[in-house]
Amino acid sequence: LLAVDASEREEWRAVGVAAADDEHYLLRMQEKLPWLCKAGGAAAPAEALLESLLATAASPALCAERHVSQEEVLKLSLDVAHKSAWRLGDSARGRAARSERLLRVLAAAANADGQAWLHLSSRLRSISETGLRKALLEGGTAEHAAGDPRPLLLWSLLAWEADKRAGGGGGSREVVSLHGPLLGELLAALGRVDDTALRSTLQRAQTEAEAAAAEAREGGGEAAPLAEESGEWMVVEA
């Protein structure tokens, strides 16, 4: 049993092995990245973790200071949203809260490359499949003046999630796909609900993410590796 804060009251809830593993993952994340902890080193709750990660992802300077990339931090943000979902329950309110957390991460990724997405949308009708994949892989804003091209962050997250599903490693993770209601919710969060060009572009990006995951699996690799080292930091294995 574990005490869970639900609707501003303490509630005792039975915890299965999967939920315990998810909690352990969040603790290991903070062990690897001490700046996520509370003052004094105490473990932070999921909502505080998510806020800290998204604030870091929004600042390339802060990412550099903490020796992480925006992509890495956003992937960890998705992990927090997924692995803390069990605490929110399966009521209508709980499902809405889980969706809201995922949307915050996806919107942060989209906003990081906002102009690039709009530019891609403006030329979607004339771009080839090869050109679209290249734009998704190399269209991101460089985090440093002389930085190499990077993938559009939202596409990178979509490909990462598609890779997990393709490999059967999604576990209890909710499906993150823009082929469904999530797309409309994301456009609303971005203030672009009537932008049909962006809607089409994001749908194409989702299709390309799934194709990239399938191609990588067929080749014996992964579309987006889960664990990778960066300086003194390493993404913890989920």
Side-chain angles (χ1 to χ4, degrees), residues 26-27 30-31 33-45 48-49:
L26 297 181
L27 292 174
Q30 294 174 76
E31 181 182 11
L33 303 172
W35 49 268
L36 287 171
C37 298
K38 291 181 179 179
L49 287 178

PDB file of all heavy atoms in Angstrom, residues 26-27 30-31 33-45 48-49:
ATOM      1  N   LEU A  26      11.560   6.769 -11.149  1.00  0.00           N
ATOM      2  CA  LEU A  26      11.575   8.206 -10.870  1.00  0.00           C
ATOM      3  C   LEU A  26      12.610   8.543  -9.796  1.00  0.00           C
ATOM      4  O   LEU A  26      13.242   9.609  -9.844  1.00  0.00           O
ATOM      5  CB  LEU A  26      10.191   8.673 -10.434  1.00  0.00           C
ATOM      6  CG  LEU A  26       9.083   8.522 -11.490  1.00  0.00           C
ATOM      7  CD1 LEU A  26       7.758   9.049 -10.945  1.00  0.00           C
ATOM      8  CD2 LEU A  26       9.451   9.237 -12.784  1.00  0.00           C
ATOM      9  N   LEU A  27      12.804   7.641  -8.848  1.00  0.00           N
ATOM     10  CA  LEU A  27      13.827   7.870  -7.829  1.00  0.00           C
ATOM     11  C   LEU A  27      15.227   7.769  -8.434  1.00  0.00           C
ATOM     12  O   LEU A  27      16.118   8.567  -8.107  1.00  0.00           O
ATOM     13  CB  LEU A  27      13.667   6.859  -6.697  1.00  0.00           C
ATOM     14  CG  LEU A  27      12.416   7.011  -5.826  1.00  0.00           C
ATOM     15  CD1 LEU A  27      12.318   5.862  -4.833  1.00  0.00           C
ATOM     16  CD2 LEU A  27      12.429   8.349  -5.087  1.00  0.00           C
ATOM     17  N   GLN A  30      16.224  10.878 -10.297  1.00  0.00           N
ATOM     18  CA  GLN A  30      16.686  11.962  -9.434  1.00  0.00           C
ATOM     19  C   GLN A  30      18.077  11.673  -8.867  1.00  0.00           C
ATOM     20  O   GLN A  30      18.852  12.592  -8.594  1.00  0.00           O
ATOM     21  CB  GLN A  30      15.678  12.189  -8.307  1.00  0.00           C
ATOM     22  CG  GLN A  30      14.349  12.708  -8.838  1.00  0.00           C
ATOM     23  CD  GLN A  30      13.288  12.803  -7.771  1.00  0.00           C
ATOM     24  OE1 GLN A  30      13.296  13.715  -6.943  1.00  0.00           O
ATOM     25  NE2 GLN A  30      12.351  11.855  -7.782  1.00  0.00           N
ATOM     26  N   GLU A  31      18.392  10.392  -8.714  1.00  0.00           N
ATOM     27  CA  GLU A  31      19.745  10.026  -8.288  1.00  0.00           C
ATOM     28  C   GLU A  31      20.756  10.397  -9.370  1.00  0.00           C
ATOM     29  O   GLU A  31      21.849  10.891  -9.076  1.00  0.00           O
ATOM     30  CB  GLU A  31      19.804   8.531  -7.989  1.00  0.00           C
ATOM     31  CG  GLU A  31      21.174   8.058  -7.512  1.00  0.00           C
ATOM     32  CD  GLU A  31      21.208   6.567  -7.276  1.00  0.00           C
ATOM     33  OE1 GLU A  31      20.252   5.870  -7.674  1.00  0.00           O
ATOM     34  OE2 GLU A  31      22.212   6.095  -6.705  1.00  0.00           O
ATOM     35  N   LEU A  33      20.224  12.713 -11.733  1.00  0.00           N
ATOM     36  CA  LEU A  33      20.131  14.152 -11.987  1.00  0.00           C
ATOM     37  C   LEU A  33      19.739  14.851 -10.691  1.00  0.00           C
ATOM     38  O   LEU A  33      18.565  15.176 -10.482  1.00  0.00           O
ATOM     39  CB  LEU A  33      19.098  14.434 -13.079  1.00  0.00           C
ATOM     40  CG  LEU A  33      19.318  13.746 -14.421  1.00  0.00           C
ATOM     41  CD1 LEU A  33      18.128  13.963 -15.337  1.00  0.00           C
ATOM     42  CD2 LEU A  33      20.586  14.243 -15.084  1.00  0.00           C
ATOM     43  N   PRO A  34      20.701  15.088  -9.790  1.00  0.00           N
ATOM     44  CA  PRO A  34      20.382  15.642  -8.467  1.00  0.00           C
ATOM     45  C   PRO A  34      19.668  16.989  -8.506  1.00  0.00           C
ATOM     46  O   PRO A  34      18.991  17.350  -7.538  1.00  0.00           O
ATOM     47  CB  PRO A  34      21.769  15.761  -7.806  1.00  0.00           C
ATOM     48  CG  PRO A  34      22.624  14.776  -8.530  1.00  0.00           C
ATOM     49  CD  PRO A  34      22.128  14.786  -9.941  1.00  0.00           C
ATOM     50  N   TRP A  35      19.799  17.748  -9.592  1.00  0.00           N
ATOM     51  CA  TRP A  35      19.134  19.049  -9.658  1.00  0.00           C
ATOM     52  C   TRP A  35      17.613  18.916  -9.714  1.00  0.00           C
ATOM     53  O   TRP A  35      16.879  19.896  -9.541  1.00  0.00           O
ATOM     54  CB  TRP A  35      19.637  19.866 -10.847  1.00  0.00           C
ATOM     55  CG  TRP A  35      19.682  19.183 -12.167  1.00  0.00           C
ATOM     56  CD1 TRP A  35      20.742  18.516 -12.710  1.00  0.00           C
ATOM     57  CD2 TRP A  35      18.628  19.090 -13.136  1.00  0.00           C
ATOM     58  NE1 TRP A  35      20.426  18.012 -13.954  1.00  0.00           N
ATOM     59  CE2 TRP A  35      19.135  18.357 -14.241  1.00  0.00           C
ATOM     60  CE3 TRP A  35      17.320  19.575 -13.187  1.00  0.00           C
ATOM     61  CZ2 TRP A  35      18.367  18.084 -15.377  1.00  0.00           C
ATOM     62  CZ3 TRP A  35      16.552  19.293 -14.319  1.00  0.00           C
ATOM     63  CH2 TRP A  35      17.071  18.568 -15.390  1.00  0.00           C
ATOM     64  N   LEU A  36      17.121  17.692  -9.900  1.00  0.00           N
ATOM     65  CA  LEU A  36      15.679  17.474  -9.876  1.00  0.00           C
ATOM     66  C   LEU A  36      15.136  17.326  -8.460  1.00  0.00           C
ATOM     67  O   LEU A  36      13.928  17.452  -8.246  1.00  0.00           O
ATOM     68  CB  LEU A  36      15.327  16.206 -10.668  1.00  0.00           C
ATOM     69  CG  LEU A  36      15.425  16.289 -12.185  1.00  0.00           C
ATOM     70  CD1 LEU A  36      15.253  14.905 -12.800  1.00  0.00           C
ATOM     71  CD2 LEU A  36      14.388  17.250 -12.744  1.00  0.00           C
ATOM     72  N   CYS A  37      16.023  17.052  -7.502  1.00  0.00           N
ATOM     73  CA  CYS A  37      15.580  16.809  -6.130  1.00  0.00           C
ATOM     74  C   CYS A  37      15.173  18.102  -5.437  1.00  0.00           C
ATOM     75  O   CYS A  37      15.508  19.202  -5.864  1.00  0.00           O
ATOM     76  CB  CYS A  37      16.695  16.144  -5.331  1.00  0.00           C
ATOM     77  SG  CYS A  37      17.209  14.529  -5.952  1.00  0.00           S
ATOM     78  N   LYS A  38      14.460  17.944  -4.333  1.00  0.00           N
ATOM     79  CA  LYS A  38      14.145  19.078  -3.476  1.00  0.00           C
ATOM     80  C   LYS A  38      15.421  19.561  -2.794  1.00  0.00           C
ATOM     81  O   LYS A  38      16.445  18.890  -2.780  1.00  0.00           O
ATOM     82  CB  LYS A  38      13.140  18.670  -2.389  1.00  0.00           C
ATOM     83  CG  LYS A  38      11.744  18.363  -2.875  1.00  0.00           C
ATOM     84  CD  LYS A  38      10.875  17.999  -1.675  1.00  0.00           C
ATOM     85  CE  LYS A  38       9.444  17.701  -2.057  1.00  0.00           C
ATOM     86  NZ  LYS A  38       8.639  17.341  -0.865  1.00  0.00           N
ATOM     87  N   ALA A  39      15.343  20.736  -2.187  1.00  0.00           N
ATOM     88  CA  ALA A  39      16.468  21.241  -1.406  1.00  0.00           C
ATOM     89  C   ALA A  39      16.776  20.239  -0.298  1.00  0.00           C
ATOM     90  O   ALA A  39      15.873  19.724   0.362  1.00  0.00           O
ATOM     91  CB  ALA A  39      16.120  22.597  -0.803  1.00  0.00           C
ATOM     92  N   GLY A  40      18.044  19.939  -0.119  1.00  0.00           N
ATOM     93  CA  GLY A  40      18.436  18.963   0.878  1.00  0.00           C
ATOM     94  C   GLY A  40      18.512  17.546   0.337  1.00  0.00           C
ATOM     95  O   GLY A  40      18.895  16.630   1.051  1.00  0.00           O
ATOM     96  N   GLY A  41      18.134  17.362  -0.930  1.00  0.00           N
ATOM     97  CA  GLY A  41      18.274  16.054  -1.557  1.00  0.00           C
ATOM     98  C   GLY A  41      17.070  15.145  -1.460  1.00  0.00           C
ATOM     99  O   GLY A  41      17.120  13.997  -1.918  1.00  0.00           O
ATOM    100  N   ALA A  42      15.965  15.629  -0.872  1.00  0.00           N
ATOM    101  CA  ALA A  42      14.770  14.789  -0.782  1.00  0.00           C
ATOM    102  C   ALA A  42      14.146  14.603  -2.158  1.00  0.00           C
ATOM    103  O   ALA A  42      14.255  15.469  -3.037  1.00  0.00           O
ATOM    104  CB  ALA A  42      13.754  15.428   0.168  1.00  0.00           C
ATOM    105  N   ALA A  43      13.504  13.466  -2.358  1.00  0.00           N
ATOM    106  CA  ALA A  43      12.876  13.180  -3.647  1.00  0.00           C
ATOM    107  C   ALA A  43      11.695  14.118  -3.876  1.00  0.00           C
ATOM    108  O   ALA A  43      10.927  14.423  -2.970  1.00  0.00           O
ATOM    109  CB  ALA A  43      12.402  11.730  -3.676  1.00  0.00           C
ATOM    110  N   ALA A  44      11.565  14.571  -5.096  1.00  0.00           N
ATOM    111  CA  ALA A  44      10.485  15.478  -5.467  1.00  0.00           C
ATOM    112  C   ALA A  44       9.300  14.683  -6.017  1.00  0.00           C
ATOM    113  O   ALA A  44       9.479  13.616  -6.607  1.00  0.00           O
ATOM    114  CB  ALA A  44      10.965  16.470  -6.518  1.00  0.00           C
ATOM    115  N   PRO A  45       8.075  15.193  -5.844  1.00  0.00           N
ATOM    116  CA  PRO A  45       6.901  14.522  -6.431  1.00  0.00           C
ATOM    117  C   PRO A  45       6.881  14.677  -7.943  1.00  0.00           C
ATOM    118  O   PRO A  45       7.589  15.517  -8.516  1.00  0.00           O
ATOM    119  CB  PRO A  45       5.724  15.249  -5.771  1.00  0.00           C
ATOM    120  CG  PRO A  45       6.261  16.605  -5.434  1.00  0.00           C
ATOM    121  CD  PRO A  45       7.702  16.387  -5.079  1.00  0.00           C
ATOM    122  N   ALA A  48       6.353  18.174  -9.564  1.00  0.00           N
ATOM    123  CA  ALA A  48       7.532  19.030  -9.441  1.00  0.00           C
ATOM    124  C   ALA A  48       8.622  18.590 -10.410  1.00  0.00           C
ATOM    125  O   ALA A  48       9.329  19.422 -10.996  1.00  0.00           O
ATOM    126  CB  ALA A  48       8.050  19.013  -8.005  1.00  0.00           C
ATOM    127  N   LEU A  49       8.779  17.279 -10.587  1.00  0.00           N
ATOM    128  CA  LEU A  49       9.750  16.773 -11.558  1.00  0.00           C
ATOM    129  C   LEU A  49       9.416  17.267 -12.957  1.00  0.00           C
ATOM    130  O   LEU A  49      10.290  17.741 -13.693  1.00  0.00           O
ATOM    131  CB  LEU A  49       9.744  15.242 -11.561  1.00  0.00           C
ATOM    132  CG  LEU A  49      10.374  14.507 -10.388  1.00  0.00           C
ATOM    133  CD1 LEU A  49      10.210  13.006 -10.583  1.00  0.00           C
ATOM    134  CD2 LEU A  49      11.839  14.867 -10.250  1.00  0.00           C
TER     135      LEU A  49
END
